[in-house]
Amino acid sequence: NVTDPEKDAAGIHTEWSKDGSAWKPASISGDTLRATTDARPDTLVWNAEADLGKGFHPGVRLRITATDASNPPGSSDLKAILLTSTVDNAPPALISVSGFAGSDTVRVRFDERLDESSALDAGKYSFPGGLRVKKVLAGNPRDRLSLILEGGVLPRGEMTLTIRGISDRFGNTAALLSRAFRPDDGNA
């Protein structure tokens, strides 16, 4: 809670920076005086996507300062709380799909770690022509998966993998991902 011994109006001033030098006002939702949301008491919600745009942003700084009439934003007497974090507000992207013709396994790679409960759901993956995914195995690192096919093997020729509703570890969900690939014969 924000308290002010002089009993004048108090508030919270929030700013963000990618480099620690140039600071911009942060888009905060909710009542910043009471600092409550539907999440947890004394929690501010920063709409980082509005300020930074979609994407992966390492090393972003958030500066939070309590202010009042005697100490407005920018006053030298204020002590700010400085947080440095990585902001990820973009859904996962599909990097590669591969497999060998005649095999029952397809290897899939994403641009970031996935939420396991989302990634290991075989119903999220589909192929044309009746091939179905029986099981999904997590790889190491966690941005890689192996799809085990049910009752069939990869044919020769181009195929397309479609993925619906897969999420990264931060809850960003890709509604639809699709990638064409050509299973090779293993003699490359």
Side-chain angles (χ1 to χ4, degrees), residues 125-184:
Y125 306 88
S126 62
F127 295 95
L131 277 179
R132 296 175 46 95
V133 175
K134 173 174 63 174
K135 186 175 185 180
V136 182
L137 303 173
N140 193 7
R142 295 293 188 208
D143 63 347
R144 298 159 200 246
L145 302 172
S146 293
L147 310 180
I148 310 302
L149 302 177
E150 180 178 328
V153 295
L154 290 171
R156 293 187 188 275
E158 188 168 283
M159 298 193 60
T160 301
L161 169 64
T162 301
I163 306 169
R164 287 183 167 75
I166 195 165
S167 301
D168 66 16
R169 61 190 169 141
F170 300 109
N172 302 306
T173 302
L176 179 68
L177 298 171
S178 186
R179 172 74 55 120
F181 71 106
R182 182 176 298 279
D184 64 30

Side-chain angles (χ1 to χ4, degrees), residues 7-166:
K7 305 285 188 220
D8 53 359
I12 294 176
H13 185 71
T14 55
E15 302 167 293
W16 66 272
S17 174
K18 283 189 171 184
D19 61 9
S21 303
W23 292 90
K24 299 176 183 174
S27 299
I28 300 295
S29 63
D31 182 347
T32 57
L33 181 58
R34 283 190 275 286
T36 60
T37 68
D38 60 354
R40 185 184 115 189
D42 301 327
T43 301
L44 291 175
V45 178
W46 176 34
N47 185 350
E49 186 175 334
D51 292 339
L52 298 168
K54 278 209 173 288
F56 183 78
H57 308 278
V60 175
R61 295 161 183 89
L62 187 64
R63 183 165 64 186
I64 304 168
T65 311
T67 61
D68 65 11
S70 302
N71 297 292
S75 171
S76 61
D77 293 333
L78 296 175
K79 293 181 182 170
I81 296 170
L82 185 61
L83 307 167
T84 302
S85 183
T86 295
V87 175
D88 179 357
N89 56 27
L94 185 54
I95 299 295
S96 66
V97 179
S98 62
F100 295 112
S103 169
D104 70 345
T105 303
V106 177
R107 302 213 186 315
V108 183
R109 183 171 173 226
F110 295 86
D111 68 336
E112 62 180 313
R113 283 179 46 189
L114 302 172
D115 169 66
E116 265 194 45
S117 64
S118 168
L120 299 180
D121 180 352
K124 294 185 180 288
Y125 306 88
S126 62
F127 295 95
L131 277 179
R132 296 175 46 95
V133 175
K134 173 174 63 174
K135 186 175 185 180
V136 182
L137 303 173
N140 193 7
R142 295 293 188 208
D143 63 347
R144 298 159 200 246
L145 302 172
S146 293
L147 310 180
I148 310 302
L149 302 177
E150 180 178 328
V153 295
L154 290 171
R156 293 187 188 275
E158 188 168 283
M159 298 193 60
T160 301
L161 169 64
T162 301
I163 306 169
R164 287 183 167 75
I166 195 165

